[in-house]
Amino acid sequence: MIIDIGCGGRPKGDVNVDLFYDISSHTVFKIDPRDIRNFIIADAHHLPIRSNSFDLAICHHILEHLINPAQALEEIRRIAKSVFIKIPNSPIKEHEKHLYTWSETSIRNLLSLYFSHVETWMDSSIYDLRRSRIMRLIAKMKVLSYPLLRIMRRIIGLEICAYAYS
């Protein structure tokens, strides 16, 4: 069974949890709990769920908004055997609504406090662009490739993905 914590209006789990079901500073549209399968209104810091109830917890773009992400990770470890996390990573500009930002190394270190096995990787459409024919040609021109990639990172942004389990 899968639980989606911070599901928003695009739930992916068998059980879906979000603190907000109305328009808030974190959502751009109203969520109707009746439209979401097995919806629970709850805070990620205090999940009203029995221990070891889920095989996987999904957390897409929520850790950076939480007051105490460590406490939320403790709760996630309590209720699920593993977790898949996506967090934004813009090395050039931070988002004003985010309380925290992490690098791939720092999120790996944080997750290692709660899970014995942690895998992290970067994900972005920029990597698809880098494989394109035009980008391969530009990459051969060393003078252009680095400044161009910095500009593209600023425009497209990056995400850090992590999969952790005990």
Side-chain angles (χ1 to χ4, degrees):
M1 294 244 318
I2 298 172
I3 184 169
D4 186 352
I5 301 169
C7 67
R10 295 187 180 112
K12 299 162 198 69
D14 299 308
V15 174
N16 301 286
V17 177
D18 207 307
L19 182 59
F20 303 106
Y21 61 92
D22 206 349
I23 296 174
S24 74
S25 62
H26 301 290
T27 60
V28 293
F29 49 87
K30 188 173 182 173
I31 298 170
D32 187 350
R34 294 171 296 187
D35 294 339
I36 298 175
R37 181 176 56 164
N38 300 321
F39 183 74
I40 299 171
I41 298 169
D43 186 338
H45 298 95
H46 307 284
L47 296 168
I49 295 166
R50 281 182 292 153
S51 297
N52 301 314
S53 298
F54 293 92
D55 298 313
L56 176 68
I58 299 172
C59 302
H60 285 201
H61 293 266
I62 65 153
L63 281 185
E64 66 274 11
H65 298 282
L66 300 177
I67 292 170
N68 190 344
Q71 184 179 350
L73 288 170
E74 182 96 19
E75 277 290 277
I76 291 166
R77 183 186 66 186
R78 181 183 65 78
I79 66 161
K81 296 174 187 167
S82 62
V83 63
F84 176 73
I85 293 172
K86 264 192 179 185
I87 55 173
N89 176 259
S90 178
I92 298 167
K93 184 180 181 208
E94 294 181 1
H95 194 279
E96 66 272 357
K97 291 183 182 174
H98 294 171
L99 300 176
Y100 298 93
T101 57
W102 289 279
S103 67
E104 189 175 1
T105 302
S106 62
I107 195 67
R108 186 181 317 113
N109 290 342
L110 177 63
L111 289 169
S112 294
L113 298 173
Y114 301 95
F115 299 93
S116 56
H117 302 287
V118 178
E119 298 172 31
T120 60
W121 63 95
M122 300 298 286
D123 186 34
S124 177
S125 54
I126 192 170
Y127 293 110
D128 295 332
L129 288 172
R130 288 180 85 172
R131 287 189 290 245
S132 72
R133 186 174 188 198
I134 292 170
M135 288 305 295
R136 286 195 311 265
L137 291 171
I138 291 171
K140 290 178 183 177
M141 297 180 262
K142 299 289 183 197
V143 175
L144 290 178
S145 63
Y146 182 73
L148 183 62
L149 285 175
R150 280 184 59 103
I151 291 167
M152 289 174 67
R153 280 190 190 105
R154 179 178 293 177
I155 294 168
I156 297 172
L158 296 171
E159 291 178 317
I160 299 171
C161 297
Y163 176 69
Y165 60 95
S166 292

